Amino acid sequence: MVLTVVAFIVALALLIAVHEYGHYRVAVACGVKVLRFSVGFGKPLVRWQPKGSPTEYVIGMFPLGGYVRMLDEREAPVAPAERHLAFNNQRLAKRAAIVAAGPLANLVLAVLLYALVNWMGVMEPAPYLATPAADTIAAQAGVQGGDRVLAAAMGDAQPEPLRSFDDLRWLLARSALDGENVRLRVQGSTDVAPRSITLRLDQLNTREPDAELLRKIGITGPWTRPVMGEVMAGGAAERAGLHEGDVVLAIGPQAVGDGQQLRALIRASVKDGKALTQVWQVERAGRRLEIPVTPQLREEEGAAIGRVGAYVGAAPEMLMVRYGPVDGLWRGAQRTWEISALTLRMIGRMVIGEASVKNLSGPLTIADYAGKSAHMGLTAYLVFLALISVSLGVLNLLPLPVLDGGHLMYYLWEGVTGHGVSDAWMERLQRGGVALLLVMMSIAVFNDFTRLFG
């Protein structure tokens, strides 16, 4: 709990500080006088003003935001000698640059965080494919358990070497949302030469990049050995006499090739609402045994499935994925662009009703993920920070009046018409923007409670 709170506060403070620093740095560069730089709202906990600086720096009590207060005639009288330092008296290009600098600073931070992870290196599953379910796109394309993906491409692009299973999963999600097929070059353990496979993702009518999407494709996880892990006390596996380390060779007449297939067979061991007794062929200490196993019934998403009360499948083969200085930075920029585009696409689909508003997340979900990623280690936490930084940057560029994107929308109107938005219209738009933002936040918080406590 303590780590979750600390990780959440550190994430918010860093992302908000970078966002506001973007505004501040460009404002100073454009010759605007900055009166206050604040991270957080409410009663100041800490405040200081360097000697000779016009700017007061503040850390507020509530870290859910921040602001940069600039000299502006619309907020308070300005001395004639300082009118040229006021924000409202700057040229349109300067005002737009100052406003856009906050979101852009978050996107630059995301690039650097992803690059740092690429330079440090991260352990990821090797791109070996598990046996797909019979009715999936992967099975129809000829994917076999144990196939290693050597290269992959979206649409008509040239296949490029694939370094990890996570890269493949990301490619599949993007391709499915774009309705693009994916071409793979794979090689099985018995193949003399690599073979080509096309995953017909254009057959999918998908709207959201969720777990159900990967199940339809048939590639949900990397290949693992069909080995029994820790056996839970009182579970079906213990009652049947299964031991940790048993290698499952077959269930009934069905040969078992990997952990994913084994889990699928266990889940499907139900007929007419009753668990079926299965004869498992296992290898234990060089001996082959036949063990009758009756799974326990569990309900999942309204359907009865089988469980055996044990960890099923060995850990996947892991490899270190690390990039050089230039490649790491380029991939960081590429990943930031891809996630930004995906975020905008999902927002657009939610607006027109093609995607569920359940995809919206609020502070509770962010705090939960902050704690989980911090527990997983530094690289996982850095990836989490990069993802939230992209989201913050993209959301602030949306044309909502209370956000930076709304102000840029005003400046676009001013640039096209030659005059600014009237005060009356500004007030109406601000009220509408606040209302819409409150609705979005209410939905996000409701989703948080549903995910965490539902």
Side-chain angles (χ1 to χ4, degrees):
M1 182 63 181
V2 174
L3 181 59
T4 296
V5 173
V6 171
F8 179 57
I9 292 175
V10 168
L12 280 184
L14 174 63
L15 300 180
I16 292 168
V18 167
H19 181 94
E20 300 305 333
Y21 183 77
H23 292 309
Y24 165 81
R25 187 67 261 165
V26 175
V28 171
C30 290
V32 175
K33 184 177 180 179
V34 178
L35 304 178
R36 175 178 280 191
F37 180 109
S38 178
V39 176
F41 296 113
K43 182 179 179 181
L45 298 177
V46 180
R47 66 168 75 195
W48 72 96
Q49 187 167 355
K51 187 177 181 181
S53 171
T55 306
E56 178 188 39
Y57 299 89
V58 175
I59 297 177
M61 180 177 292
F62 302 105
L64 296 175
Y67 61 92
V68 172
R69 180 177 297 158
M70 291 169 271
L71 192 68
D72 196 314
E73 291 178 318
R74 297 168 301 180
E75 296 183 2
V78 175
E82 291 191 324
R83 290 191 67 238
H84 68 287
L85 301 176
F87 174 81
N88 65 291
N89 290 326
Q90 304 304 310
R91 290 186 293 109
L92 177 60
K94 285 188 176 182
R95 283 180 280 139
I98 293 169
V99 170
L104 293 179
N106 284 121
L107 296 177
V108 170
L109 175 63
V111 172
L112 295 177
L113 288 171
Y114 280 127
L116 181 58
V117 170
N118 292 334
W119 296 331
M120 292 170 57
V122 60
M123 296 298 295
E124 295 183 2
Y128 287 98
L129 302 180
T131 303
D135 57 347
T136 60
I137 291 174
Q140 294 166 5
V143 169
Q144 299 175 8
D147 282 345
R148 176 162 189 153
V149 181
L150 306 176
M154 180 192 301
D156 297 327
Q158 279 294 110
E160 296 183 359
L162 198 75
R163 301 192 67 164
S164 72
F165 186 84
D166 290 345
D167 285 347
L168 173 63
R169 186 155 38 195
W170 174 246
L171 176 67
L172 292 173
R174 289 193 297 120
S175 301
L177 289 174
D178 288 342
E180 294 275 4
N181 294 330
V182 170
R183 293 181 296 122
L184 306 177
R185 286 182 60 242
V186 304
Q187 186 162 13
S189 58
T190 60
D191 290 341
V192 176
R195 66 187 195 277
S196 296
I197 286 176
T198 299
L199 301 177
R200 294 296 306 273
L201 304 191
D202 59 353
Q203 300 173 356
L204 291 172
N205 182 23
T206 186
R207 297 177 178 178
E208 300 175 19
D210 54 12
E212 182 60 30
L213 166 61
L214 295 176
R215 280 197 288 269
K216 290 178 181 176
I217 297 173
I219 299 178
T220 58
W223 184 89
T224 60
R225 294 181 64 231
V227 176
M228 299 300 296
E230 180 182 354
V231 176
M232 310 299 180
E238 185 190 55
R239 291 199 302 270
L242 292 169
H243 294 177
E244 182 176 349
D246 285 348
V247 180
V248 182
L249 306 175
I251 293 182
Q254 177 67 57
V256 176
D258 55 67
Q260 179 171 296
Q261 184 185 19
L262 175 56
R263 287 188 291 272
L265 290 171
I266 294 171
R267 290 170 61 89
S269 60
V270 177
K271 187 175 183 181
D272 299 328
K274 296 181 180 179
L276 302 176
T277 299
Q278 306 165 313
V279 178
W280 289 27
Q281 298 178 41
V282 304
E283 184 177 302
R284 180 186 301 165
R287 294 188 303 137
R288 292 201 174 195
L289 305 173
E290 290 192 353
I291 301 175
V293 180
T294 304
Q296 298 164 295
L297 286 178
R298 291 287 186 271
E299 188 169 310
E300 186 176 292
E301 299 178 356
I305 62 169
R307 296 281 192 183
V308 295
Y311 287 100
V312 177
E317 179 183 331
M318 305 295 287
L319 47 80
M320 173 62 71
V321 177
R322 183 184 288 120
Y323 296 89
V326 176
D327 285 345
L329 183 61
W330 170 250
R331 287 184 64 87
Q334 194 175 38
R335 181 54 59 92
T336 300
W337 171 260
E338 291 169 350
I339 294 177
S340 299
L342 179 61
T343 301
L344 285 173
R345 189 180 298 120
M346 290 303 298
I347 291 173
R349 291 188 175 188
M350 281 189 278
V351 169
I352 63 177
E354 287 189 355
S356 172
V357 293
K358 292 180 179 179
N359 289 289
L360 288 175
S361 297
L364 295 180
T365 296
I366 294 173
D368 183 48
Y369 285 161
K372 289 178 179 177
S373 63
H375 276 289
M376 292 169 65
L378 178 60
T379 54
Y381 186 61
L382 292 177
V383 170
F384 161 78
L385 288 177
L387 181 61
I388 299 302
S389 194
V390 171
S391 299
L392 185 60
V394 171
L395 290 176
N396 267 284
L397 287 172
L398 294 179
L400 293 179
V402 291
L403 301 177
D404 294 326
H407 292 284
L408 293 175
M409 182 176 62
Y410 298 152
Y411 298 150
L412 177 62
W413 172 264
E414 183 177 342
V416 171
T417 65
H419 55 81
V421 179
S422 68
D423 291 341
W425 268 106
M426 184 84 75
E427 185 178 350
R428 294 188 191 103
L429 290 170
Q430 289 293 107
R431 285 202 299 265
V434 169
L436 181 58
L437 199 60
L438 288 174
V439 170
M440 292 172 61
M441 284 301 300
S442 299
I443 294 172
V445 171
F446 176 79
N447 290 342
D448 285 353
F449 276 97
T450 302
R451 289 188 190 106
L452 300 176
F453 310 114

